[in-house]
Amino acid sequence: MTYQNSRYHILRKIGTLSRCIHSISDIKFKGINLQKGQFTFLTRICENQGVNQIGLSKLLKVDKTTTTKAIQKIIES
């Protein structure tokens, strides 16, 4: 197996694992009305109490619009 093939193989395994984790999370979070991605926002808020939306955006490496929409959805649910 060449370096490129082994690297591709590892990335495929990581992708598969990531999809499995997301599937399990979606099932678990559905019972408490959390949608995909909201858990990450809630986790970072709990870990960084008092963080503002700009700080949260920087922590999650997303733009401010994404953070605002996610926070609004969390509040609505």
Side-chain angles (χ1 to χ4, degrees):
M1 186 180 285
T2 67
Y3 174 73
Q4 286 288 17
N5 286 342
S6 64
R7 203 167 127 189
Y8 177 74
H9 180 72
I10 290 169
L11 291 175
R12 285 191 54 110
K13 293 290 185 185
I14 290 170
T16 301
L17 180 61
S18 176
R19 285 189 297 280
C20 289
I21 291 169
H22 283 286
S23 295
I24 293 167
S25 298
D26 289 345
I27 293 166
K28 300 262 185 197
F29 298 147
K30 191 174 189 175
I32 54 174
N33 292 328
L34 277 183
Q35 294 177 354
K36 191 174 294 199
Q38 291 177 331
F39 175 76
T40 306
F41 282 88
L42 284 175
T43 301
R44 294 299 171 261
I45 291 168
C46 291
E47 290 174 347
N48 301 277
Q49 292 184 11
V51 68
N52 62 23
Q53 288 188 11
I54 293 170
L56 188 58
S57 297
K58 289 179 182 178
L59 282 169
L60 295 170
K61 297 180 180 13
V62 297
D63 59 63
K64 291 177 251 178
T65 304
T66 301
T67 300
T68 301
K69 288 179 182 178
I71 300 285
Q72 287 174 342
K73 284 183 181 181
I74 290 169
I75 291 170
E76 290 169 3
S77 48

